[in-house]
Amino acid sequence: MRFLNLLILFLAMTVVPATTPIMAEERRAPDFTLTDINGRSVSLSDFRGKVVLLNFWATWCTACIDEMDSLNKVYLDMRDKGFVVIGVSIDQSRAVVSDFVKKKGLKFPVLLDPEKEVFFDRYAVFGLPTSFLIDRRGYIRERYIGEMDWQEKDFVDKVHNLLNEKGR
């Protein structure tokens, strides 16, 4: 029965249009610590004070692959302003992810969640790609399900607004 419920939830989430942001209730983003592709431990809380786009993805996910170029570009364009992208791969193999990152020339931090503990247990993600926009205080402000063009004006404006926001 649990499998059937998860399958229904997954199927329901996959029919959401790719460019539709879903407002999340304001809640603190759950902290976690994962290993990056170089074997270093990285925590979400390491980035407190920055606007974070937390992106869950996998190398076998076509929509994930398709959005990587715009994700990397928006990171490069705004990283000096206090914006960071954190990619969380659910792939099983560090080598596969590392090769993918090198091949694509990704510059943002990429963490590994092969057991899907952060993916399922902390963020209740069931479809890929899924991303969370987190403000400087560590609160989730938006959730995005599906492939996005991260260079779209609406998204860039939203990030700029969060970067310019004074303590709420």
Side-chain angles (χ1 to χ4, degrees):
M1 187 65 176
R2 182 169 182 230
F3 174 76
L4 182 60
N5 288 340
L6 289 175
L7 180 62
I8 290 168
L9 181 60
F10 175 76
L11 292 174
M13 292 177 77
T14 59
V15 297
V16 174
T19 58
T20 303
I22 297 175
M23 294 298 290
E25 65 185 52
E26 186 170 299
R27 65 179 178 95
R28 188 164 295 279
D31 196 20
F32 60 85
T33 301
L34 292 171
T35 305
D36 71 10
I37 59 173
N38 298 310
R40 292 183 296 253
S41 290
V42 178
S43 298
L44 178 62
S45 57
D46 295 343
F47 299 95
R48 186 71 40 87
K50 295 183 181 284
V51 174
V52 174
L53 183 65
L54 181 63
N55 176 262
F56 291 93
W57 66 283
T59 59
W60 46 261
C61 166
T62 304
C64 301
I65 294 167
D66 291 345
E67 74 175 2
M68 282 296 155
D69 289 337
S70 71
L71 197 58
N72 199 47
K73 178 83 167 88
V74 76
Y75 169 70
L76 292 173
D77 289 347
M78 293 196 285
R79 68 180 170 183
D80 293 335
K81 298 173 183 160
F83 174 71
V84 66
V85 171
I86 302 172
V88 178
S89 171
I90 63 167
D91 287 278
Q92 296 295 311
S93 168
R94 177 187 311 271
V96 168
V97 176
S98 185
D99 288 347
F100 179 88
V101 167
K102 287 177 188 159
K103 184 176 110 182
K104 294 294 275 181
L106 302 180
K107 301 300 182 193
F108 54 84
V110 174
L111 312 181
L112 304 169
D113 187 19
E115 302 301 318
K116 300 169 190 64
E117 292 173 8
V118 174
F119 181 78
F120 283 133
D121 298 340
R122 300 281 178 114
Y123 283 84
V125 174
F126 292 96
L128 291 175
T130 297
S131 301
F132 296 86
L133 185 60
I134 303 168
D135 69 18
R136 291 181 184 270
R137 298 174 307 129
Y139 284 86
I140 296 172
R141 300 292 287 272
E142 296 272 351
R143 178 179 61 181
Y144 301 89
I145 298 172
E147 180 183 344
M148 297 287 296
D149 177 354
W150 297 107
Q151 293 177 274
E152 283 185 0
K153 183 180 181 339
D154 287 346
F155 176 76
V156 171
D157 288 348
K158 197 167 293 185
V159 171
H160 281 293
N161 289 339
L162 291 176
L163 289 168
N164 294 326
E165 207 173 66
K166 303 296 182 231
R168 288 176 15 159

